[in-house]
Amino acid sequence: MQDTPEDAFLYISPIGYRKSSSCGYCRRKGAGHSYFARATSMSPASYQALIDRCWRRSGTLLYRPNQRDACCPHYTIRLDSRRLRTTKDQRQAVNRFNKYVIGDVYAKEAARLYPKSREQARKRDTEFDLVERIHEAETLSLKQPPAPSHVFTVTLEPDDFTEEKFRVFENYQQVVHRESPSSISRDGFRRFLCTSPLKRETITGPDGRERQLGSFHQCYRLDGQLVAIGVLDLLPDCVSAVYFLYHESIHKFSPGKLGALREIALAIEGGYRWWYPGYYIHTCPKMKYKIDFSPQQILDPETLEWIDLTQDVLQKFDDHGYLNLRGTEGDTGRNASSTETTTPMEVENGDDEILDDEDTESDDEEPLFSSGMPGIPSIEKMYSVDLDNIAVRLNRGYCYAGDLFGWHNESIDNGGSAKAMVAELVAAVGPEYIQDICLDFRRS
């Protein structure tokens, strides 16, 4: 091929449809299947398209669970930040933390030195502006003198590894997730939370504001100490939460709740609009906090359409493992029991799974097309898809898949063949994106 597809939306290598080694939520062994792939590089727009097709990432590992055969079905949900309805509990969490940071002495002296007008005071007492309130206690937002009781800063930083960040991760995994020190490693932290295939870029939105895109760490520091990290993927149309971790010293301030509200505020300020909190698993108690933020929508894995996540839909979850959301169409607006391990403190944020290569190593393989995974086109439909002209990245240059593999006489129902492997990948990603895929089998 003459042109190199430098603008390919996704440089990817297929791993295949595999049985999970264990469920990261209920800890059952070999429960459910996922389709796995490895991304070498992709644009933020590419990942936006994938998460809108039920995918998530763990480092550079991409996975799409089969909700139909899972012990804990995963559903993609999102919140429209412009329509957020904060609860009394959420407002109290923000105000309580702000009061702690500012302190009574500062509050009284600042009220004397910088008095609010009657209209300003009335507005603050009767309205809760999330963006204004979430920044209220930050050092850069405070008028000085006097000095507040504590120095609080939040910065959006590259997702690089540092010892400072690793120490917070180590504490969080030990205290909240009860992991043994020997199971927590710098390499694991680096692979999962400091290695992203997303390209970093800046775009100008329809409103004229510039938006940063890519993977970032939102770092919270109190009196100079790093106390929490929000791992975020900033995409063209959303703030996607990857992981939130914090030091045990701030647990009393409901950091998971504060982190979620700050991410929603970022979606408002940055013009991203949507906040994606990761998968929602109805049977996992640690996931309940996600639906405390409303109103939300849930992605129908069958049709890949968004449905309003109403109480009627949530009630139907109680009677189903896998819920066919098309059966709720009459009750909702449509838009284009597990075993829980206890922890020494109440966990208010159910994180996405930490997956690595071991989770993709399974002898129990079966064809994706006979798996019954929702939203996967049939093998009959895939016969009409032109796989020959998919780009393949080589050590030097590019070529077409058909030329490289010489599979012109192969059938995609020949399990284990190169053509079948690529056909499954295209089906999982979506045949409509075939022109944007570039196969990359090089080892990094």
Side-chain angles (χ1 to χ4, degrees):
M1 58 190 299
Q2 298 297 318
D3 298 326
T4 56
E6 291 299 334
D7 293 330
F9 106 132
L10 181 57
Y11 290 90
I12 190 171
S13 59
I15 295 174
Y17 185 67
R18 300 284 189 272
K19 188 171 187 178
S20 304
S21 58
S22 67
C23 176
Y25 301 97
C26 70
R27 305 302 179 189
R28 294 176 185 170
K29 296 292 184 182
H33 294 72
S34 295
Y35 184 86
F36 294 96
R38 177 83 56 190
T40 308
S41 174
M42 60 180 169
S43 69
S46 75
Y47 190 50
Q48 179 81 61
L50 289 179
I51 63 173
D52 286 339
R53 297 182 66 87
C54 305
W55 289 80
R56 294 290 287 179
R57 75 172 184 90
S58 177
T60 61
L61 183 67
L62 304 176
Y63 61 105
R64 178 176 175 171
N66 184 346
Q67 294 92 342
R68 186 171 274 118
D69 80 341
C71 53
C72 300
H74 301 49
Y75 290 88
T76 300
I77 58 175
R78 69 179 185 179
L79 176 140
D80 187 344
S81 64
R82 301 179 303 188
R83 299 174 58 212
L84 172 70
R85 296 192 296 264
T86 56
T87 64
K88 181 179 179 181
D89 183 58
Q90 291 162 1
R91 295 191 293 271
Q92 287 177 338
V94 174
N95 292 333
R96 184 166 54 246
F97 180 70
N98 288 349
K99 184 177 180 181
Y100 168 77
V101 172
I102 293 171
D104 292 337
V105 173
Y106 175 90
K108 292 176 182 177
E109 188 64 10
R112 182 182 69 81
L113 293 174
Y114 317 109
K116 290 182 172 64
S117 68
R118 182 174 299 178
E119 178 60 24
Q120 288 173 325
R122 184 201 65 78
K123 184 177 180 181
R124 192 186 186 286
D125 290 340
T126 57
E127 298 178 18
F128 185 86
D129 184 317
L130 175 64
V131 172
E132 176 185 289
R133 206 67 66 94
I134 208 74
H135 293 296
E136 189 175 70
E138 292 175 22
T139 301
L140 293 177
S141 299
L142 295 174
K143 294 180 179 180
Q144 298 187 50
S149 294
H150 302 277
V151 176
F152 178 59
T153 62
V154 181
T155 54
L156 194 64
E157 305 176 8
D159 59 337
D160 298 330
F161 173 92
T162 67
E163 282 294 326
E164 180 187 37
K165 293 175 183 177
F166 175 71
R167 287 194 294 271
V168 177
F169 175 75
E170 187 177 37
N171 175 266
Y172 180 76
Q173 297 301 117
Q174 287 185 44
V175 176
V176 176
H177 289 292
R178 301 186 68 190
E179 291 189 11
S180 63
S182 61
S183 67
I184 304 168
S185 70
R186 287 169 176 78
D187 285 344
F189 172 61
R190 186 180 283 107
R191 285 196 309 272
F192 175 50
L193 297 176
C194 305
T195 304
S196 169
L198 291 180
K199 300 173 185 175
R200 201 170 289 140
E201 58 187 75
T202 301
I203 65 170
T204 301
D207 56 4
R209 286 182 291 179
E210 286 193 344
R211 289 184 216 158
Q212 292 189 81
L213 303 183
S215 298
F216 295 88
H217 289 165
Q218 194 168 48
C219 296
Y220 301 67
R221 291 182 173 86
L222 190 62
D223 296 326
Q225 298 295 312
L226 183 66
V227 293
I229 307 168
V231 183
L232 306 176
D233 288 334
L234 302 185
L235 308 179
D237 298 310
C238 78
V239 172
S240 176
V242 178
Y243 208 68
F244 187 83
L245 51 146
Y246 57 86
H247 191 272
E248 61 183 309
S249 60
I250 64 166
H251 176 73
K252 63 182 177 181
F253 295 114
S254 304
K257 196 170 297 174
L258 294 176
L261 289 168
R262 184 169 287 273
E263 290 164 11
I264 295 169
L266 176 60
I268 298 171
E269 292 178 279
Y272 301 97
R273 181 177 179 182
W274 299 97
W275 175 62
Y276 285 54
Y279 288 130
Y280 172 67
I281 299 173
H282 190 72
T283 53
C284 179
K286 288 188 292 187
M287 291 285 178
K288 297 298 183 185
Y289 88 97
K290 293 187 178 183
I291 55 174
D292 290 338
F293 301 90
S294 65
Q296 292 206 51
Q297 295 179 339
I298 186 168
L299 183 63
D300 184 340
E302 297 273 359
T303 64
L304 302 176
E305 293 180 309
W306 292 97
I307 295 172
D308 293 334
L309 186 56
T310 64
Q311 285 302 315
D312 288 335
V313 174
L314 288 170
Q315 288 172 5
K316 288 181 171 65
F317 269 112
D318 292 329
D319 299 321
H320 296 78
Y322 169 67
L323 177 62
N324 185 340
L325 290 166
R326 285 180 293 181
T328 66
E329 187 172 0
D331 304 316
T332 64
R334 183 171 287 272
N335 301 274
S337 147
S338 67
T339 302
E340 174 66 18
T341 56
T342 59
T343 63
M345 60 172 63
E346 180 184 353
V347 180
E348 60 177 9
N349 54 319
D351 304 301
D352 279 352
E353 293 178 273
I354 299 179
L355 300 178
D356 54 32
D357 290 336
E358 291 182 1
D359 294 281
T360 69
E361 295 172 357
S362 171
D363 294 330
D364 182 19
E365 296 184 35
E366 63 177 85
L368 176 66
F369 297 116
S370 61
S371 68
M373 181 187 283
I376 298 297
S378 67
I379 194 169
E380 289 76 20
K381 186 172 292 186
M382 290 302 300
Y383 282 132
S384 62
V385 176
D386 180 11
L387 303 176
D388 292 343
N389 291 314
I390 296 177
V392 182
R393 192 175 194 174
L394 307 173
N395 288 327
R396 293 184 179 181
Y398 299 80
C399 71
Y400 290 120
D403 295 333
L404 176 67
F405 295 110
W407 60 26
H408 303 290
N409 295 321
E410 286 186 12
S411 172
I412 60 175
D413 57 8
N414 180 13
S417 68
K419 194 168 189 177
M421 178 175 62
V422 173
E424 289 188 349
L425 172 68
V426 173
V429 169
E432 61 268 41
Y433 298 112
I434 192 169
Q435 298 300 322
D436 303 310
I437 293 174
C438 182
L439 300 174
D440 190 351
F441 295 104
R442 302 171 309 154
R443 298 298 296 178
S444 58

